[in-house]
Amino acid sequence: MRLQGKRVFVTAAGQGIGRASAIALSREGAHVIATDLHDKFLSDLNVAEAFALDVLDKAALVAAVTKAQPDVLVNCSGIVHSGTIEQATDEDFDLAMNLNVRAHFHAIQAAVPGMLERGKGAIVNIASVCSSLRGLPNRFIYGTSKGATIALTKQVAADYITRGIRANCIAPGTVDTPSLQGRLHATGDYDQAMKDFVARQPMGRLGTADEIAELVVYLSSDETKYMTGQCVAIDGGMTM
Ligand code: NAD
């Protein structure tokens, strides 16, 4: 039970990596406060607390995090936009920056005062290999925003390094989640799209949400108390 006694707040915990993380964190003894835009995804999630929360609603997000007083904050919200800079609109850019970066800014800002009072805290942000780590075709907005997720993590880590708060992020490769399945179907040729996604994974397969969740647990736990400001790739070899 690596997280016994810790209160862990997770955003976008209804599906995919967020959901797998909430379950894995709870299994390790954490008091998990799982939140997601969609109530329906939370109804069968067996963790300490679960409620609907739109991370784009700053007031609601700040109120929920402030009330929760988490020891660990896991920022999982994110949206993939497909396309080059030629297809990018300001609306798409703003939405990605809001979900992939600004929501983390607001949640962390709300969590920090309590963490400082207690003299410890851990923040885990979900970035992507598609970021400052690696450019990928047709991911202009997504990769740009996820590069900012990594930079945000390092800035927070630098500011609180002597005051007990750690901030790290995770850069997954391609992970089989509901939104990935949606992207595969949206191409109109599911089998070919799946082949293409698998082909960019040197290991020859997609990752699973459970594999990413194990890393979330590790970075949330005191086992990594000497680790901060890092971006850990877990990507089937995409960035080796
Ligand atoms: P997903 O896209 O399948 O599910 C996302 C969840 O976010 C859903 O439950 C949805 O209801 C929730 N959500 C959407 N808008 C929200 C909002 N405004 N407020 C709160 N919740 C909201 O999940 P996923 O594919 O596991 O992605 C999770 C994170 O991992 C994202 O940040 C994503 O960019 C990142 N990531 C995913 C992959 C991948 O291949 N799946 C790879 C690298 C990084």
Side-chain angles (χ1 to χ4, degrees), residues 12 15-17 36-38 41 53-55 76-78 99 126-127 142 146 172-173 175 177 179:
Q15 295 196 116
I17 294 167
D36 194 274
L37 179 63
H38 298 294
F41 296 148
L53 176 68
D54 180 354
V55 295
C76 203
S77 69
L99 265 175
I126 308 298
Y142 183 65
K146 289 295 188 177
V175 182
T177 64
S179 72

mmCIF file with all atom_site columns, all heavy atoms in Angstrom, residues 12 15-17 36-38 41 53-55 76-78 99 126-127 142 146 172-173 175 177 179, ligand 1:
data_model
loop_
_atom_site.group_PDB
_atom_site.id
_atom_site.type_symbol
_atom_site.label_atom_id
_atom_site.label_alt_id
_atom_site.label_comp_id
_atom_site.label_asym_id
_atom_site.label_entity_id
_atom_site.label_seq_id
_atom_site.pdbx_PDB_ins_code
_atom_site.Cartn_x
_atom_site.Cartn_y
_atom_site.Cartn_z
_atom_site.occupancy
_atom_site.B_iso_or_equiv
_atom_site.pdbx_formal_charge
_atom_site.auth_seq_id
_atom_site.auth_comp_id
_atom_site.auth_asym_id
_atom_site.auth_atom_id
_atom_site.pdbx_PDB_model_num
ATOM   1   N N   . ALA A 1 12  ? -10.158 14.314 -15.269 1.00 0.00 ? 12  ALA A N   1
ATOM   2   C CA  . ALA A 1 12  ? -10.434 13.483 -16.459 1.00 0.00 ? 12  ALA A CA  1
ATOM   3   C C   . ALA A 1 12  ? -10.265 11.997 -16.137 1.00 0.00 ? 12  ALA A C   1
ATOM   4   O O   . ALA A 1 12  ? -9.610  11.243 -16.869 1.00 0.00 ? 12  ALA A O   1
ATOM   5   C CB  . ALA A 1 12  ? -9.544  13.902 -17.624 1.00 0.00 ? 12  ALA A CB  1
ATOM   6   N N   . GLN A 1 15  ? -12.311 7.972  -18.127 1.00 0.00 ? 15  GLN A N   1
ATOM   7   C CA  . GLN A 1 15  ? -11.933 6.996  -19.150 1.00 0.00 ? 15  GLN A CA  1
ATOM   8   C C   . GLN A 1 15  ? -10.411 6.945  -19.272 1.00 0.00 ? 15  GLN A C   1
ATOM   9   O O   . GLN A 1 15  ? -9.711  7.837  -18.787 1.00 0.00 ? 15  GLN A O   1
ATOM   10  C CB  . GLN A 1 15  ? -12.474 7.424  -20.511 1.00 0.00 ? 15  GLN A CB  1
ATOM   11  C CG  . GLN A 1 15  ? -13.971 7.451  -20.621 1.00 0.00 ? 15  GLN A CG  1
ATOM   12  C CD  . GLN A 1 15  ? -14.409 7.502  -22.080 1.00 0.00 ? 15  GLN A CD  1
ATOM   13  O OE1 . GLN A 1 15  ? -15.041 6.583  -22.575 1.00 0.00 ? 15  GLN A OE1 1
ATOM   14  N NE2 . GLN A 1 15  ? -14.086 8.573  -22.765 1.00 0.00 ? 15  GLN A NE2 1
ATOM   15  N N   . GLY A 1 16  ? -9.935  5.932  -19.959 1.00 0.00 ? 16  GLY A N   1
ATOM   16  C CA  . GLY A 1 16  ? -8.537  5.883  -20.382 1.00 0.00 ? 16  GLY A CA  1
ATOM   17  C C   . GLY A 1 16  ? -7.543  5.935  -19.234 1.00 0.00 ? 16  GLY A C   1
ATOM   18  O O   . GLY A 1 16  ? -7.715  5.293  -18.193 1.00 0.00 ? 16  GLY A O   1
ATOM   19  N N   . ILE A 1 17  ? -6.490  6.731  -19.448 1.00 0.00 ? 17  ILE A N   1
ATOM   20  C CA  . ILE A 1 17  ? -5.372  6.787  -18.490 1.00 0.00 ? 17  ILE A CA  1
ATOM   21  C C   . ILE A 1 17  ? -5.840  7.326  -17.135 1.00 0.00 ? 17  ILE A C   1
ATOM   22  O O   . ILE A 1 17  ? -5.414  6.839  -16.082 1.00 0.00 ? 17  ILE A O   1
ATOM   23  C CB  . ILE A 1 17  ? -4.239  7.663  -19.079 1.00 0.00 ? 17  ILE A CB  1
ATOM   24  C CG1 . ILE A 1 17  ? -3.635  6.985  -20.317 1.00 0.00 ? 17  ILE A CG1 1
ATOM   25  C CG2 . ILE A 1 17  ? -3.169  7.953  -18.034 1.00 0.00 ? 17  ILE A CG2 1
ATOM   26  C CD1 . ILE A 1 17  ? -2.731  7.879  -21.160 1.00 0.00 ? 17  ILE A CD1 1
ATOM   27  N N   . ASP A 1 36  ? -14.483 14.043 -13.527 1.00 0.00 ? 36  ASP A N   1
ATOM   28  C CA  . ASP A 1 36  ? -14.535 13.974 -14.992 1.00 0.00 ? 36  ASP A CA  1
ATOM   29  C C   . ASP A 1 36  ? -15.676 14.857 -15.476 1.00 0.00 ? 36  ASP A C   1
ATOM   30  O O   . ASP A 1 36  ? -16.649 15.090 -14.753 1.00 0.00 ? 36  ASP A O   1
ATOM   31  C CB  . ASP A 1 36  ? -14.768 12.533 -15.463 1.00 0.00 ? 36  ASP A CB  1
ATOM   32  C CG  . ASP A 1 36  ? -14.497 12.363 -16.960 1.00 0.00 ? 36  ASP A CG  1
ATOM   33  O OD1 . ASP A 1 36  ? -15.419 12.603 -17.768 1.00 0.00 ? 36  ASP A OD1 1
ATOM   34  O OD2 . ASP A 1 36  ? -13.352 11.995 -17.315 1.00 0.00 ? 36  ASP A OD2 1
ATOM   35  N N   . LEU A 1 37  ? -15.579 15.288 -16.706 1.00 0.00 ? 37  LEU A N   1
ATOM   36  C CA  . LEU A 1 37  ? -16.657 16.082 -17.303 1.00 0.00 ? 37  LEU A CA  1
ATOM   37  C C   . LEU A 1 37  ? -17.975 15.314 -17.267 1.00 0.00 ? 37  LEU A C   1
ATOM   38  O O   . LEU A 1 37  ? -19.028 15.887 -17.011 1.00 0.00 ? 37  LEU A O   1
ATOM   39  C CB  . LEU A 1 37  ? -16.276 16.418 -18.755 1.00 0.00 ? 37  LEU A CB  1
ATOM   40  C CG  . LEU A 1 37  ? -17.277 17.215 -19.574 1.00 0.00 ? 37  LEU A CG  1
ATOM   41  C CD1 . LEU A 1 37  ? -17.496 18.603 -18.983 1.00 0.00 ? 37  LEU A CD1 1
ATOM   42  C CD2 . LEU A 1 37  ? -16.792 17.341 -21.023 1.00 0.00 ? 37  LEU A CD2 1
ATOM   43  N N   . HIS A 1 38  ? -17.889 14.007 -17.517 1.00 0.00 ? 38  HIS A N   1
ATOM   44  C CA  . HIS A 1 38  ? -19.096 13.200 -17.657 1.00 0.00 ? 38  HIS A CA  1
ATOM   45  C C   . HIS A 1 38  ? -19.331 12.320 -16.426 1.00 0.00 ? 38  HIS A C   1
ATOM   46  O O   . HIS A 1 38  ? -18.569 11.386 -16.170 1.00 0.00 ? 38  HIS A O   1
ATOM   47  C CB  . HIS A 1 38  ? -18.999 12.311 -18.901 1.00 0.00 ? 38  HIS A CB  1
ATOM   48  C CG  . HIS A 1 38  ? -18.898 13.100 -20.168 1.00 0.00 ? 38  HIS A CG  1
ATOM   49  N ND1 . HIS A 1 38  ? -19.928 13.897 -20.633 1.00 0.00 ? 38  HIS A ND1 1
ATOM   50  C CD2 . HIS A 1 38  ? -17.890 13.247 -21.052 1.00 0.00 ? 38  HIS A CD2 1
ATOM   51  C CE1 . HIS A 1 38  ? -19.553 14.484 -21.761 1.00 0.00 ? 38  HIS A CE1 1
ATOM   52  N NE2 . HIS A 1 38  ? -18.318 14.110 -22.037 1.00 0.00 ? 38  HIS A NE2 1
ATOM   53  N N   . PHE A 1 41  ? -19.413 8.364  -16.687 1.00 0.00 ? 41  PHE A N   1
ATOM   54  C CA  . PHE A 1 41  ? -18.185 7.556  -16.687 1.00 0.00 ? 41  PHE A CA  1
ATOM   55  C C   . PHE A 1 41  ? -17.710 7.242  -15.265 1.00 0.00 ? 41  PHE A C   1
ATOM   56  O O   . PHE A 1 41  ? -16.834 6.417  -15.066 1.00 0.00 ? 41  PHE A O   1
ATOM   57  C CB  . PHE A 1 41  ? -17.059 8.269  -17.427 1.00 0.00 ? 41  PHE A CB  1
ATOM   58  C CG  . PHE A 1 41  ? -17.301 8.485  -18.891 1.00 0.00 ? 41  PHE A CG  1
ATOM   59  C CD1 . PHE A 1 41  ? -16.792 9.603  -19.534 1.00 0.00 ? 41  PHE A CD1 1
ATOM   60  C CD2 . PHE A 1 41  ? -18.023 7.562  -19.640 1.00 0.00 ? 41  PHE A CD2 1
ATOM   61  C CE1 . PHE A 1 41  ? -17.011 9.806  -20.896 1.00 0.00 ? 41  PHE A CE1 1
ATOM   62  C CE2 . PHE A 1 41  ? -18.236 7.753  -21.004 1.00 0.00 ? 41  PHE A CE2 1
ATOM   63  C CZ  . PHE A 1 41  ? -17.736 8.873  -21.631 1.00 0.00 ? 41  PHE A CZ  1
ATOM   64  N N   . LEU A 1 53  ? -16.835 17.218 -12.956 1.00 0.00 ? 53  LEU A N   1
ATOM   65  C CA  . LEU A 1 53  ? -16.094 18.480 -12.909 1.00 0.00 ? 53  LEU A CA  1
ATOM   66  C C   . LEU A 1 53  ? -15.542 18.784 -14.295 1.00 0.00 ? 53  LEU A C   1
ATOM   67  O O   . LEU A 1 53  ? -14.804 17.981 -14.870 1.00 0.00 ? 53  LEU A O   1
ATOM   68  C CB  . LEU A 1 53  ? -14.932 18.369 -11.901 1.00 0.00 ? 53  LEU A CB  1
ATOM   69  C CG  . LEU A 1 53  ? -14.012 19.591 -11.827 1.00 0.00 ? 53  LEU A CG  1
ATOM   70  C CD1 . LEU A 1 53  ? -14.725 20.801 -11.233 1.00 0.00 ? 53  LEU A CD1 1
ATOM   71  C CD2 . LEU A 1 53  ? -12.758 19.268 -11.003 1.00 0.00 ? 53  LEU A CD2 1
ATOM   72  N N   . ASP A 1 54  ? -15.892 19.957 -14.790 1.00 0.00 ? 54  ASP A N   1
ATOM   73  C CA  . ASP A 1 54  ? -15.353 20.429 -16.063 1.00 0.00 ? 54  ASP A CA  1
ATOM   74  C C   . ASP A 1 54  ? -14.111 21.257 -15.750 1.00 0.00 ? 54  ASP A C   1
ATOM   75  O O   . ASP A 1 54  ? -14.219 22.332 -15.137 1.00 0.00 ? 54  ASP A O   1
ATOM   76  C CB  . ASP A 1 54  ? -16.418 21.280 -16.771 1.00 0.00 ? 54  ASP A CB  1
ATOM   77  C CG  . ASP A 1 54  ? -15.939 21.827 -18.107 1.00 0.00 ? 54  ASP A CG  1
ATOM   78  O OD1 . ASP A 1 54  ? -14.749 21.641 -18.446 1.00 0.00 ? 54  ASP A OD1 1
ATOM   79  O OD2 . ASP A 1 54  ? -16.768 22.439 -18.805 1.00 0.00 ? 54  ASP A OD2 1
ATOM   80  N N   . VAL A 1 55  ? -12.947 20.786 -16.183 1.00 0.00 ? 55  VAL A N   1
ATOM   81  C CA  . VAL A 1 55  ? -11.713 21.512 -15.837 1.00 0.00 ? 55  VAL A CA  1
ATOM   82  C C   . VAL A 1 55  ? -11.611 22.855 -16.551 1.00 0.00 ? 55  VAL A C   1
ATOM   83  O O   . VAL A 1 55  ? -10.755 23.672 -16.220 1.00 0.00 ? 55  VAL A O   1
ATOM   84  C CB  . VAL A 1 55  ? -10.434 20.678 -16.116 1.00 0.00 ? 55  VAL A CB  1
ATOM   85  C CG1 . VAL A 1 55  ? -10.367 19.454 -15.228 1.00 0.00 ? 55  VAL A CG1 1
ATOM   86  C CG2 . VAL A 1 55  ? -10.299 20.327 -17.589 1.00 0.00 ? 55  VAL A CG2 1
ATOM   87  N N   . CYS A 1 76  ? -4.867  14.976 -15.747 1.00 0.00 ? 76  CYS A N   1
ATOM   88  C CA  . CYS A 1 76  ? -4.941  14.041 -16.868 1.00 0.00 ? 76  CYS A CA  1
ATOM   89  C C   . CYS A 1 76  ? -5.692  14.610 -18.072 1.00 0.00 ? 76  CYS A C   1
ATOM   90  O O   . CYS A 1 76  ? -5.670  14.026 -19.157 1.00 0.00 ? 76  CYS A O   1
ATOM   91  C CB  . CYS A 1 76  ? -5.609  12.766 -16.378 1.00 0.00 ? 76  CYS A CB  1
ATOM   92  S SG  . CYS A 1 76  ? -5.182  11.360 -17.381 1.00 0.00 ? 76  CYS A SG  1
ATOM   93  N N   . SER A 1 77  ? -6.370  15.734 -17.895 1.00 0.00 ? 77  SER A N   1
ATOM   94  C CA  . SER A 1 77  ? -7.206  16.213 -19.003 1.00 0.00 ? 77  SER A CA  1
ATOM   95  C C   . SER A 1 77  ? -6.351  16.535 -20.223 1.00 0.00 ? 77  SER A C   1
ATOM   96  O O   . SER A 1 77  ? -5.212  16.988 -20.110 1.00 0.00 ? 77  SER A O   1
ATOM   97  C CB  . SER A 1 77  ? -7.989  17.468 -18.575 1.00 0.00 ? 77  SER A CB  1
ATOM   98  O OG  . SER A 1 77  ? -7.123  18.563 -18.393 1.00 0.00 ? 77  SER A OG  1
ATOM   99  N N   . GLY A 1 78  ? -6.919  16.277 -21.383 1.00 0.00 ? 78  GLY A N   1
ATOM   100 C CA  . GLY A 1 78  ? -6.194  16.575 -22.614 1.00 0.00 ? 78  GLY A CA  1
ATOM   101 C C   . GLY A 1 78  ? -7.023  16.229 -23.821 1.00 0.00 ? 78  GLY A C   1
ATOM   102 O O   . GLY A 1 78  ? -7.892  15.353 -23.757 1.00 0.00 ? 78  GLY A O   1
ATOM   103 N N   . LEU A 1 99  ? -7.340  22.880 -22.189 1.00 0.00 ? 99  LEU A N   1
ATOM   104 C CA  . LEU A 1 99  ? -7.483  21.550 -21.575 1.00 0.00 ? 99  LEU A CA  1
ATOM   105 C C   . LEU A 1 99  ? -6.127  20.930 -21.203 1.00 0.00 ? 99  LEU A C   1
ATOM   106 O O   . LEU A 1 99  ? -6.009  20.219 -20.210 1.00 0.00 ? 99  LEU A O   1
ATOM   107 C CB  . LEU A 1 99  ? -8.174  20.601 -22.560 1.00 0.00 ? 99  LEU A CB  1
ATOM   108 C CG  . LEU A 1 99  ? -9.677  20.435 -22.423 1.00 0.00 ? 99  LEU A CG  1
ATOM   109 C CD1 . LEU A 1 99  ? -10.201 19.566 -23.554 1.00 0.00 ? 99  LEU A CD1 1
ATOM   110 C CD2 . LEU A 1 99  ? -10.048 19.810 -21.080 1.00 0.00 ? 99  LEU A CD2 1
ATOM   111 N N   . ILE A 1 126 ? -0.005  14.658 -17.170 1.00 0.00 ? 126 ILE A N   1
ATOM   112 C CA  . ILE A 1 126 ? 0.117   13.746 -18.309 1.00 0.00 ? 126 ILE A CA  1
ATOM   113 C C   . ILE A 1 126 ? 0.401   14.568 -19.563 1.00 0.00 ? 126 ILE A C   1
ATOM   114 O O   . ILE A 1 126 ? -0.462  15.323 -20.029 1.00 0.00 ? 126 ILE A O   1
ATOM   115 C CB  . ILE A 1 126 ? -1.152  12.888 -18.507 1.00 0.00 ? 126 ILE A CB  1
ATOM   116 C CG1 . ILE A 1 126 ? -1.537  12.174 -17.193 1.00 0.00 ? 126 ILE A CG1 1
ATOM   117 C CG2 . ILE A 1 126 ? -0.910  11.876 -19.626 1.00 0.00 ? 126 ILE A CG2 1
ATOM   118 C CD1 . ILE A 1 126 ? -0.524  11.198 -16.648 1.00 0.00 ? 126 ILE A CD1 1
ATOM   119 N N   . ALA A 1 127 ? 1.616   14.415 -20.084 1.00 0.00 ? 127 ALA A N   1
ATOM   120 C CA  . ALA A 1 127 ? 2.011   15.100 -21.324 1.00 0.00 ? 127 ALA A CA  1
ATOM   121 C C   . ALA A 1 127 ? 1.886   14.097 -22.474 1.00 0.00 ? 127 ALA A C   1
ATOM   122 O O   . ALA A 1 127 ? 0.877   13.395 -22.578 1.00 0.00 ? 127 ALA A O   1
ATOM   123 C CB  . ALA A 1 127 ? 3.431   15.638 -21.176 1.00 0.00 ? 127 ALA A CB  1
ATOM   124 N N   . TYR A 1 142 ? -1.630  19.781 -30.928 1.00 0.00 ? 142 TYR A N   1
ATOM   125 C CA  . TYR A 1 142 ? -1.454  18.857 -29.809 1.00 0.00 ? 142 TYR A CA  1
ATOM   126 C C   . TYR A 1 142 ? -0.005  18.891 -29.283 1.00 0.00 ? 142 TYR A C   1
ATOM   127 O O   . TYR A 1 142 ? 0.229   19.077 -28.086 1.00 0.00 ? 142 TYR A O   1
ATOM   128 C CB  . TYR A 1 142 ? -1.825  17.442 -30.261 1.00 0.00 ? 142 TYR A CB  1
ATOM   129 C CG  . TYR A 1 142 ? -1.764  16.397 -29.168 1.00 0.00 ? 142 TYR A CG  1
ATOM   130 C CD1 . TYR A 1 142 ? -2.630  16.455 -28.082 1.00 0.00 ? 142 TYR A CD1 1
ATOM   131 C CD2 . TYR A 1 142 ? -0.839  15.355 -29.224 1.00 0.00 ? 142 TYR A CD2 1
ATOM   132 C CE1 . TYR A 1 142 ? -2.581  15.499 -27.089 1.00 0.00 ? 142 TYR A CE1 1
ATOM   133 C CE2 . TYR A 1 142 ? -0.791  14.390 -28.230 1.00 0.00 ? 142 TYR A CE2 1
ATOM   134 C CZ  . TYR A 1 142 ? -1.664  14.462 -27.162 1.00 0.00 ? 142 TYR A CZ  1
ATOM   135 O OH  . TYR A 1 142 ? -1.614  13.513 -26.173 1.00 0.00 ? 142 TYR A OH  1
ATOM   136 N N   . LYS A 1 146 ? 1.363   20.071 -25.645 1.00 0.00 ? 146 LYS A N   1
ATOM   137 C CA  . LYS A 1 146 ? 1.997   19.113 -24.721 1.00 0.00 ? 146 LYS A CA  1
ATOM   138 C C   . LYS A 1 146 ? 3.444   19.513 -24.393 1.00 0.00 ? 146 LYS A C   1
ATOM   139 O O   . LYS A 1 146 ? 3.951   19.195 -23.317 1.00 0.00 ? 146 LYS A O   1
ATOM   140 C CB  . LYS A 1 146 ? 1.929   17.699 -25.300 1.00 0.00 ? 146 LYS A CB  1
ATOM   141 C CG  . LYS A 1 146 ? 0.511   17.113 -25.294 1.00 0.00 ? 146 LYS A CG  1
ATOM   142 C CD  . LYS A 1 146 ? -0.035  16.899 -23.875 1.00 0.00 ? 146 LYS A CD  1
ATOM   143 C CE  . LYS A 1 146 ? -1.349  16.145 -23.881 1.00 0.00 ? 146 LYS A CE  1
ATOM   144 N NZ  . LYS A 1 146 ? -1.858  15.878 -22.533 1.00 0.00 ? 146 LYS A NZ  1
ATOM   145 N N   . PRO A 1 172 ? 3.354   9.549  -22.463 1.00 0.00 ? 172 PRO A N   1
ATOM   146 C CA  . PRO A 1 172 ? 3.017   8.247  -23.042 1.00 0.00 ? 172 PRO A CA  1
ATOM   147 C C   . PRO A 1 172 ? 3.191   8.263  -24.561 1.00 0.00 ? 172 PRO A C   1
ATOM   148 O O   . PRO A 1 172 ? 3.084   9.306  -25.206 1.00 0.00 ? 172 PRO A O   1
ATOM   149 C CB  . PRO A 1 172 ? 1.515   8.083  -22.697 1.00 0.00 ? 172 PRO A CB  1
ATOM   150 C CG  . PRO A 1 172 ? 1.184   9.160  -21.708 1.00 0.00 ? 172 PRO A CG  1
ATOM   151 C CD  . PRO A 1 172 ? 2.159   10.267 -21.979 1.00 0.00 ? 172 PRO A CD  1
ATOM   152 N N   . GLY A 1 173 ? 3.451   7.065  -25.092 1.00 0.00 ? 173 GLY A N   1
ATOM   153 C CA  . GLY A 1 173 ? 3.367   6.876  -26.541 1.00 0.00 ? 173 GLY A CA  1
ATOM   154 C C   . GLY A 1 173 ? 1.906   6.691  -26.898 1.00 0.00 ? 173 GLY A C   1
ATOM   155 O O   . GLY A 1 173 ? 1.024   7.292  -26.281 1.00 0.00 ? 173 GLY A O   1
ATOM   156 N N   . VAL A 1 175 ? -1.482  5.024  -26.719 1.00 0.00 ? 175 VAL A N   1
ATOM   157 C CA  . VAL A 1 175 ? -2.110  4.174  -25.709 1.00 0.00 ? 175 VAL A CA  1
ATOM   158 C C   . VAL A 1 175 ? -3.544  3.870  -26.135 1.00 0.00 ? 175 VAL A C   1
ATOM   159 O O   . VAL A 1 175 ? -4.282  4.771  -26.562 1.00 0.00 ? 175 VAL A O   1
ATOM   160 C CB  . VAL A 1 175 ? -2.114  4.892  -24.330 1.00 0.00 ? 175 VAL A CB  1
ATOM   161 C CG1 . VAL A 1 175 ? -2.722  3.997  -23.260 1.00 0.00 ? 175 VAL A CG1 1
ATOM   162 C CG2 . VAL A 1 175 ? -0.695  5.296  -23.948 1.00 0.00 ? 175 VAL A CG2 1
ATOM   163 N N   . THR A 1 177 ? -6.972  3.749  -25.733 1.00 0.00 ? 177 THR A N   1
ATOM   164 C CA  . THR A 1 177 ? -7.992  4.322  -24.839 1.00 0.00 ? 177 THR A CA  1
ATOM   165 C C   . THR A 1 177 ? -9.223  4.654  -25.687 1.00 0.00 ? 177 THR A C   1
ATOM   166 O O   . THR A 1 177 ? -9.137  4.666  -26.919 1.00 0.00 ? 177 THR A O   1
ATOM   167 C CB  . THR A 1 177 ? -7.466  5.628  -24.195 1.00 0.00 ? 177 THR A CB  1
ATOM   168 O OG1 . THR A 1 177 ? -7.247  6.600  -25.231 1.00 0.00 ? 177 THR A OG1 1
ATOM   169 C CG2 . THR A 1 177 ? -6.184  5.414  -23.417 1.00 0.00 ? 177 THR A CG2 1
ATOM   170 N N   . SER A 1 179 ? -10.549 7.449  -26.468 1.00 0.00 ? 179 SER A N   1
ATOM   171 C CA  . SER A 1 179 ? -10.379 8.544  -27.437 1.00 0.00 ? 179 SER A CA  1
ATOM   172 C C   . SER A 1 179 ? -9.518  8.097  -28.612 1.00 0.00 ? 179 SER A C   1
ATOM   173 O O   . SER A 1 179 ? -9.732  8.518  -29.746 1.00 0.00 ? 179 SER A O   1
ATOM   174 C CB  . SER A 1 179 ? -9.799  9.792  -26.774 1.00 0.00 ? 179 SER A CB  1
ATOM   175 O OG  . SER A 1 179 ? -8.454  9.608  -26.450 1.00 0.00 ? 179 SER A OG  1
HETATM 176 P P1  . NAD B 2 .   ? -9.577  9.726  -23.144 1.00 0.00 ? 1   NAD B P1  1
HETATM 177 O O1  . NAD B 2 .   ? -9.353  10.848 -24.135 1.00 0.00 ? 1   NAD B O1  1
HETATM 178 O O2  . NAD B 2 .   ? -9.990  8.412  -23.655 1.00 0.00 ? 1   NAD B O2  1
HETATM 179 O O3  . NAD B 2 .   ? -10.579 10.220 -22.019 1.00 0.00 ? 1   NAD B O3  1
HETATM 180 C C1  . NAD B 2 .   ? -10.497 11.550 -21.625 1.00 0.00 ? 1   NAD B C1  1
HETATM 181 C C2  . NAD B 2 .   ? -11.415 11.825 -20.464 1.00 0.00 ? 1   NAD B C2  1
HETATM 182 O O4  . NAD B 2 .   ? -11.396 13.232 -20.287 1.00 0.00 ? 1   NAD B O4  1
HETATM 183 C C3  . NAD B 2 .   ? -12.863 11.427 -20.718 1.00 0.00 ? 1   NAD B C3  1
HETATM 184 O O5  . NAD B 2 .   ? -13.348 10.674 -19.629 1.00 0.00 ? 1   NAD B O5  1
HETATM 185 C C4  . NAD B 2 .   ? -13.571 12.769 -20.838 1.00 0.00 ? 1   NAD B C4  1
HETATM 186 O O6  . NAD B 2 .   ? -14.908 12.731 -20.363 1.00 0.00 ? 1   NAD B O6  1
HETATM 187 C C5  . NAD B 2 .   ? -12.695 13.654 -19.987 1.00 0.00 ? 1   NAD B C5  1
HETATM 188 N N1  . NAD B 2 .   ? -12.847 15.071 -20.311 1.00 0.00 ? 1   NAD B N1  1
HETATM 189 C C6  . NAD B 2 .   ? -12.977 15.638 -21.536 1.00 0.00 ? 1   NAD B C6  1
HETATM 190 N N2  . NAD B 2 .   ? -13.138 16.965 -21.411 1.00 0.00 ? 1   NAD B N2  1
HETATM 191 C C7  . NAD B 2 .   ? -13.091 17.243 -20.082 1.00 0.00 ? 1   NAD B C7  1
HETATM 192 C C8  . NAD B 2 .   ? -13.220 18.430 -19.323 1.00 0.00 ? 1   NAD B C8  1
HETATM 193 N N3  . NAD B 2 .   ? -13.425 19.616 -19.919 1.00 0.00 ? 1   NAD B N3  1
HETATM 194 N N4  . NAD B 2 .   ? -13.136 18.352 -17.971 1.00 0.00 ? 1   NAD B N4  1
HETATM 195 C C9  . NAD B 2 .   ? -12.929 17.167 -17.360 1.00 0.00 ? 1   NAD B C9  1
HETATM 196 N N5  . NAD B 2 .   ? -12.811 15.993 -18.024 1.00 0.00 ? 1   NAD B N5  1
HETATM 197 C C10 . NAD B 2 .   ? -12.899 16.038 -19.376 1.00 0.00 ? 1   NAD B C10 1
HETATM 198 O O7  . NAD B 2 .   ? -8.255  9.575  -22.278 1.00 0.00 ? 1   NAD B O7  1
HETATM 199 P P2  . NAD B 2 .   ? -6.773  9.225  -22.701 1.00 0.00 ? 1   NAD B P2  1
HETATM 200 O O8  . NAD B 2 .   ? -6.634  8.915  -24.164 1.00 0.00 ? 1   NAD B O8  1
HETATM 201 O O9  . NAD B 2 .   ? -6.318  8.258  -21.688 1.00 0.00 ? 1   NAD B O9  1
HETATM 202 O O10 . NAD B 2 .   ? -6.011  10.616 -22.495 1.00 0.00 ? 1   NAD B O10 1
HETATM 203 C C11 . NAD B 2 .   ? -5.719  11.067 -21.185 1.00 0.00 ? 1   NAD B C11 1
HETATM 204 C C12 . NAD B 2 .   ? -4.503  11.967 -21.223 1.00 0.00 ? 1   NAD B C12 1
HETATM 205 O O11 . NAD B 2 .   ? -3.392  11.237 -21.734 1.00 0.00 ? 1   NAD B O11 1
HETATM 206 C C13 . NAD B 2 .   ? -4.671  13.194 -22.126 1.00 0.00 ? 1   NAD B C13 1
HETATM 207 O O12 . NAD B 2 .   ? -4.023  14.299 -21.541 1.00 0.00 ? 1   NAD B O12 1
HETATM 208 C C14 . NAD B 2 .   ? -3.965  12.755 -23.389 1.00 0.00 ? 1   NAD B C14 1
HETATM 209 O O13 . NAD B 2 .   ? -3.503  13.849 -24.152 1.00 0.00 ? 1   NAD B O13 1
HETATM 210 C C15 . NAD B 2 .   ? -2.814  11.951 -22.807 1.00 0.00 ? 1   NAD B C15 1
HETATM 211 N N6  . NAD B 2 .   ? -2.201  11.025 -23.756 1.00 0.00 ? 1   NAD B N6  1
HETATM 212 C C16 . NAD B 2 .   ? -2.949  10.047 -24.346 1.00 0.00 ? 1   NAD B C16 1
HETATM 213 C C17 . NAD B 2 .   ? -2.335  9.210  -25.263 1.00 0.00 ? 1   NAD B C17 1
HETATM 214 C C18 . NAD B 2 .   ? -3.109  8.117  -25.969 1.00 0.00 ? 1   NAD B C18 1
HETATM 215 O O14 . NAD B 2 .   ? -2.573  7.544  -26.941 1.00 0.00 ? 1   NAD B O14 1
HETATM 216 N N7  . NAD B 2 .   ? -4.302  7.789  -25.540 1.00 0.00 ? 1   NAD B N7  1
HETATM 217 C C19 . NAD B 2 .   ? -0.980  9.354  -25.576 1.00 0.00 ? 1   NAD B C19 1
HETATM 218 C C20 . NAD B 2 .   ? -0.259  10.360 -24.937 1.00 0.00 ? 1   NAD B C20 1
HETATM 219 C C21 . NAD B 2 .   ? -0.883  11.196 -24.029 1.00 0.00 ? 1   NAD B C21 1
#
